[in-house]
Amino acid sequence: MNSVPLWALVLTLAVLILCSAFFAMAETALMAANKHRLRLLAKRGHRGAITTLWLLERTDKLLSLVLIANTLLNAMATALVAALAILLFGHEETVLSIATAVVAFLLIVFAEISPKIIGATYPERIALASSGVLRVLMTAAKPVIWFVNLFVGVVLKVLRIRRGHDLHQHRVSPEELRSIVLEGGNFIPQKHKSILLNLFDLETISVEDIMTPRAQMEALNLALGVDELKHELTTCYHNKLPVYEGEINQIVGILHVRKAVALLNQTDALTIDHFRELLTPAYFIPQDTGVFTQLQYFQENKERLGIIVDEYGEVQGLVTLDDIIEEMIGEFTTSVPGAARSDSFNWDSEGECLLEGSTPLRDINKRLGLAFPLDGPKTLNGLMLEQLQEIPDSPISLKVANCVIEVIQVHDQAIKVIKLKRPLPHKRLA
């Protein structure tokens, strides 16, 4: 030891600390790296990403390598500092204690905390750069890692812990995917982010939430006669219309308006039977069918329109393929009556909004930023009737979800017009 220059010992100590810092930084970076980004880079042929994923698939061996290396390096650094202290100051217990404290401080600051913070700050960059070195070291140290893991396996067996249990069952849940999208920041355009979030919502809503209620359905009644049918066909807004006879629950089929218009132009003496011949079978949907499930059914059955019925077979409304697509990507500019009306409501300058009682609660929550409950009635009228437990016969107001709701007009056993007042922001207590 006396023949070794002092500078060489100090340099060796610095190298040991740097090597220990490398392993700590690389381990933290690998554990914190974004696995989805690494897989994307690996698919593009990035060698560093491929090597990093290879290491992450062998986490037990990787951690064994890092811990063995760090333990040896830290022990060597401690021994070297003790040797330096003895060389310079002799066998003084106080000096040895101070030297031990100094090396512990150096290891904590320069070989643990600082490199791990750096590794967590730049995980992908450091993981990609260090993966090649770690793979070579893991291959070289394979016998040592195997020997150490023999004893680790015995300890885990005694503790009844299965090594690698559930490692391949780590799947990203819909909630985690939603969080990833929300945290996408500037990497995902706002419109794309909105579409992705809407796709997640399709799993939680049913066709009843997005249907056109039967009171607003545009349908043809064969019992009205040919002249009335002609008038309704020339003024309708849709290309496909449900057709019933006498009562809305008696759906007899779906009429393609284009075919009917051609019939009007070609036939002089029209009868109801001419219209019956153009009908196609109606496609019925239970009201609790999930929206995403219904989208798949539409695709499998080559349908674009379905009649929604309840458990008693009574018609509740209808849903179309366009309704589901609009739920995913937003509303289109259409000529549907009420589409413009549903787009137009907003808070006025006084913080009020007039709405029809049939307005869906989901639309209100989206457009006005409210939080009306969606697990019960689907419309504003239904919500009010549930809260009041009766049909009001005079103007009345109440508060639901921090929003004041005022009944303006009641007609035919239903609330027709309602005024909402914007909730005041919560004030924090000093």
Side-chain angles (χ1 to χ4, degrees):
M1 179 69 71
N2 293 331
S3 62
V4 180
L6 180 63
W7 66 265
L9 295 177
V10 175
L11 180 61
T12 303
L13 176 62
V15 171
L16 291 175
I17 293 177
L18 286 175
C19 290
S20 181
F22 166 77
F23 283 106
M25 182 170 57
E27 177 196 9
T28 304
L30 284 165
M31 296 300 105
N34 188 317
K35 310 301 186 297
H36 307 289
R37 190 174 303 168
L38 291 175
R39 291 191 185 97
L40 178 61
L41 291 174
K43 288 180 180 179
R44 295 176 178 175
H46 194 290
R47 291 185 178 181
I50 296 173
T51 305
T52 302
L53 290 175
W54 183 87
L55 291 172
L56 291 174
E57 290 172 357
R58 296 157 178 81
T59 307
D60 54 343
K61 295 181 176 61
L62 174 64
L63 293 177
S64 298
L65 170 66
V66 172
L67 292 175
I68 291 171
N70 266 337
T71 302
L72 293 176
L73 290 169
N74 293 344
M76 291 171 63
T78 304
L80 186 57
V81 169
L84 280 171
I86 294 172
L87 179 64
L88 296 175
F89 303 101
H91 294 275
E92 290 288 339
E93 294 183 0
T94 304
V95 173
L96 289 176
S97 300
I98 294 174
T100 303
V102 169
V103 73
F105 176 79
L106 293 175
L107 290 173
I108 291 172
V109 174
F110 296 104
E112 290 294 334
I113 297 177
S114 297
K116 287 186 176 182
I117 291 176
I118 296 173
T121 306
Y122 306 101
E124 285 83 18
R125 188 183 306 176
I126 295 174
L128 295 175
S130 61
S131 59
V133 177
L134 289 174
R135 181 166 184 172
V136 172
L137 292 174
M138 184 182 291
T139 303
K142 192 173 183 179
V144 178
I145 295 173
W146 173 81
F147 181 74
V148 171
N149 279 339
L150 280 180
F151 295 92
V152 173
V154 172
V155 173
L156 294 178
K157 192 172 183 178
V158 171
L159 297 175
R160 296 183 179 180
I161 298 175
R162 295 177 58 186
R163 192 197 319 235
H165 181 55
D166 289 340
L167 283 179
H168 300 289
Q169 297 183 12
H170 292 169
R171 299 290 186 266
V172 180
S173 67
E175 292 76 16
E176 292 170 332
L177 278 175
R178 188 184 184 93
S179 298
I180 292 173
V181 173
L182 287 171
E183 296 171 1
N186 297 328
F187 295 102
I188 304 177
Q190 185 60 40
K191 184 63 178 177
H192 296 177
K193 185 185 296 186
S194 176
I195 293 174
L196 290 172
L197 294 175
N198 288 338
L199 284 174
F200 296 134
D201 290 338
L202 292 188
E203 293 284 356
T204 62
I205 61 177
S206 66
V207 292
E208 186 181 15
D209 294 311
I210 65 171
M211 72 178 182
T212 301
R214 76 175 187 176
Q216 300 176 12
M217 284 173 49
E218 191 174 27
L220 297 178
N221 184 2
L222 294 181
L224 296 179
V226 174
D227 292 336
E228 185 63 27
L229 290 179
K230 285 183 179 181
H231 174 71
E232 292 192 9
L233 285 172
T234 55
T235 58
C236 67
Y237 287 89
H238 299 86
N239 184 42
K240 290 184 178 181
L241 299 177
V243 178
Y244 62 96
E245 192 159 18
E247 201 266 326
I248 189 65
N249 289 317
Q250 303 299 321
I251 300 287
V252 295
I254 304 297
L255 178 65
H256 289 253
V257 175
R258 291 180 182 177
K259 295 180 181 180
V261 171
L263 184 66
L264 295 176
N265 295 331
Q266 297 175 9
T267 307
D268 294 329
L270 282 178
T271 64
I272 295 298
D273 290 334
H274 287 106
F275 291 100
R276 290 184 188 276
E277 293 173 359
L278 297 178
L279 298 181
T280 57
Y283 176 60
F284 294 97
I285 306 169
Q287 64 180 4
D288 57 352
T289 303
V291 171
F292 191 76
T293 302
Q294 187 54 50
L295 178 62
Q296 294 176 307
Y297 288 163
F298 274 148
Q299 184 179 27
E300 294 170 1
N301 296 295
K302 310 299 181 184
E303 295 284 351
R304 298 180 64 90
L305 181 148
I307 306 298
I308 300 175
V309 296
D310 62 11
E311 58 183 320
Y312 303 106
E314 294 189 358
V315 174
Q316 300 300 306
L318 64 81
V319 67
T320 66
L321 181 59
D322 290 347
D323 294 330
I324 299 178
I325 294 176
E326 287 184 354
E327 190 66 25
M328 291 189 293
I329 66 175
E331 294 190 0
F332 301 113
T333 301
T334 66
S335 59
V336 180
R341 182 175 62 250
S342 65
D343 260 338
S344 62
F345 67 81
N346 210 331
W347 299 114
D348 60 20
S349 59
E350 298 181 356
E352 298 179 346
C353 181
L354 282 176
L355 292 174
E356 294 183 359
S358 59
T359 307
L361 293 176
R362 295 187 73 252
D363 290 347
I364 297 173
N365 286 348
K366 283 184 177 181
R367 301 181 197 285
L368 300 182
L370 299 177
F372 289 139
L374 302 177
D375 53 353
K378 305 302 180 183
T379 65
L380 199 51
N381 172 60
L383 176 65
M384 291 295 292
L385 295 180
E386 180 185 63
Q387 294 290 327
L388 296 172
Q389 299 291 314
E390 63 178 359
I391 300 173
D393 55 4
S394 60
I396 189 174
S397 63
L398 69 158
K399 197 172 190 179
V400 179
N402 202 35
C403 178
V404 176
I405 309 174
E406 182 180 351
V407 176
I408 302 298
Q409 181 182 358
V410 179
H411 183 65
D412 291 339
Q413 291 79 48
I415 301 173
K416 294 298 183 181
V417 181
I418 291 174
K419 179 192 290 185
L420 303 182
K421 295 185 179 180
R422 178 186 290 180
L424 296 176
H426 292 286
K427 295 183 179 180
R428 294 184 180 181
L429 297 176

